[in-house]
Amino acid sequence: RLSAEELHTSEVAAGAVIGAGIDFGNSLTERWVDLGRNKHYVSGGSQVTVSLWVNYTSTSDVAELFNISTSAVLVPDQPQSRVSLLVYPGSLRLRGRAPDSNAFNEVHVPGPVEEGVWKLITGVINLENDSMFLYVNGEIGDADMADFGSESFDISPSSFSAIGSNDKGDDDYFSGMIDEVRLEHIAR
């Protein structure tokens, strides 16, 4: 887990420079950013857009880029995400769920994920229209209708949220660099 001191190093302060994001190392270094507990990031919202620049150093394992959890652990050892962006060997995935008690919906972009190249990854979830979109470098990679069962995320805080790992920061560590993470309450 990255401490507040590590987040304020010159490496991070140079984030406006192309190619100068946070270096998450590799899956063995277990580096991640804790976005805090019990935060209302998407609470009660009906639309969300998550975007970030990524540069992979390894795509051989499942790794989570961005994750906002449900309000409570529903099923131990199962994904608890309201919103997440993931890398699987050979694909990118966007997952979302609403209400928290539902299973997650997913869209994915198949094909090899290039290592050593900066890519802009954007996931859009619109609960009102039951739709999900996943973009790579501004081009649509996948879109699908989803059955969310609700027109808004639960009105409760997310228990855990993270960048570079699963929601709790205890697995699925990202290998590479991440820069300019944005979370917006609108479908862009």
Side-chain angles (χ1 to χ4, degrees):
R1 175 170 140 177
L2 297 178
S3 69
E5 290 175 8
E6 289 173 302
L7 289 175
H8 297 288
T9 64
S10 60
E11 174 185 16
V12 177
V17 177
I18 294 174
I22 296 175
D23 186 352
F24 286 82
N26 59 51
S27 60
L28 301 177
T29 58
E30 299 181 358
R31 295 183 79 187
W32 59 287
V33 175
D34 184 356
L35 297 177
R37 291 181 166 66
N38 300 315
K39 303 289 184 180
H40 289 271
Y41 290 118
V42 296
S43 177
S46 61
Q47 302 173 356
V48 64
T49 299
V50 178
S51 65
L52 44 85
W53 284 91
V54 297
N55 187 339
Y56 311 96
T57 56
S58 173
T59 58
S60 60
D61 297 316
V62 173
E64 302 210 27
L65 302 170
F66 181 88
N67 200 314
I68 297 174
S69 76
T70 58
S71 62
V73 175
L74 304 172
V75 180
D77 301 323
Q78 294 296 314
Q80 303 298 314
S81 309
R82 283 183 178 167
V83 178
S84 63
L85 281 168
L86 306 93
V87 179
Y88 272 69
S91 71
L92 293 167
R93 299 178 189 209
L94 168 66
R95 291 180 176 167
R97 86 169 79 217
D100 285 356
S101 58
N102 276 12
F104 61 77
N105 291 280
E106 179 178 280
V107 292
H108 71 283
V109 177
V113 178
E114 294 177 75
E115 296 176 6
V117 177
W118 282 100
K119 300 245 184 214
L120 176 61
I121 310 299
T122 304
V124 180
I125 298 174
N126 188 331
L127 300 178
E128 293 173 344
N129 296 334
D130 281 330
S131 60
M132 298 177 71
F133 303 90
L134 184 56
Y135 298 86
V136 178
N137 290 335
E139 295 184 18
I140 188 126
D142 194 13
D144 203 359
M145 298 305 291
D147 183 15
F148 286 108
S150 177
E151 290 190 2
S152 65
F153 291 103
D154 285 9
I155 302 175
S156 59
S158 296
S159 296
F160 304 94
S161 300
I163 299 171
S165 73
N166 70 356
D167 54 0
K168 296 179 198 169
D170 62 5
D171 200 8
D172 298 335
Y173 299 102
F174 174 71
S175 296
M177 296 178 71
I178 297 178
D179 200 6
E180 296 184 33
V181 178
R182 292 188 173 114
L183 173 66
E184 301 174 272
H185 289 208
I186 190 165
R188 295 195 179 260

